[in-house]
Amino acid sequence: MPFNIPILLTWLRVALIPLVVGVYYLPIHWLPRSDQDLAATLVFIIAAVTDWFDGFLARRWNQTSAFGAFLDPVADKLMVAGALLVLVHLDRVDHFIAFIIIGREIAISALREWMAQIGASRSVAVSSLGKIKTAMQMTAIPMLLFHDIVWGWIDTQLLGEAFMIVAAVLTVWSMFYYLRLAWPMIKEKGGAPL
């Protein structure tokens, strides 16, 4: 397993995920709910920044690796799934939206794994649509975690819900996009033994 700064940042992101969840298990008399929201928001934002930064550094320093390419999306999916589960528990995200997003991530990850096994992974490489979907999620989640009014008039819950709905629509759209790209290979190799 290679070890460099980009991979260290990815591992840091994985380590931060339990903090986003765990802060809500602290007793309210230790940390009031508004402080829990703020702490979870800040931890999530730090984790999201490492997501951008590790990829930037890996490309800039030419430290990309197969392990990093595997670990980075796993960390992203764990981060989003963990935050969504917290938000569902806090009744800030609809169960169905969380199911759509988490279910899509599992389905497309499995599709990519299968496509890699048959040597066609480039067919389902990350698209700009997938990147926009991720950006919407990474914008919506901290707003929903923060769950308060900013500057006296910006309702982060309402704004976060709007971004999350857009993210859910893009999630479904991108899933069909990837399935359409993979469909010829699914038809050709789907029934063939490996």
Side-chain angles (χ1 to χ4, degrees), residues 79-135:
M79 186 171 75
V80 169
L84 284 173
L85 291 174
V86 165
L87 291 168
V88 166
H89 176 72
L90 295 171
D91 202 27
R92 297 180 191 174
V93 167
D94 186 83
H95 297 78
F96 188 64
I97 286 178
F99 173 75
I100 287 171
I101 292 171
I102 294 171
R104 180 264 186 206
E105 296 301 345
I106 293 168
I108 296 304
S109 293
L111 177 66
R112 284 192 174 120
E113 175 65 27
W114 180 74
M115 295 292 282
Q117 286 180 1
I118 64 169
S121 58
R122 289 185 187 263
S123 300
V124 286
V126 176
S127 72
S128 58
L129 182 60
K131 290 179 181 182
I132 295 168
K133 179 263 312 173
T134 300

Side-chain angles (χ1 to χ4, degrees), residues 27-79:
I28 295 293
H29 64 274
W30 285 8
L31 196 63
R33 179 52 51 94
S34 61
D35 293 342
Q36 290 175 346
D37 291 341
L38 178 61
T41 302
L42 292 174
V43 171
F44 186 88
I45 289 171
I46 291 167
V49 168
T50 68
D51 180 27
W52 175 83
F53 204 52
D54 64 9
F56 171 78
L57 290 178
R59 288 184 297 277
R60 184 172 183 116
W61 294 344
N62 197 26
Q63 293 182 341
T64 57
S65 66
F67 181 74
F70 156 77
L71 186 62
D72 186 65
V74 169
D76 295 347
K77 287 162 183 45
L78 286 173
M79 186 171 75

Side-chain angles (χ1 to χ4, degrees), residues 9-18 71 74-75 78:
L9 288 172
T10 305
W11 278 118
L12 174 63
R13 187 159 75 257
V14 172
L16 289 174
I17 296 162
L71 186 62
V74 169
L78 286 173

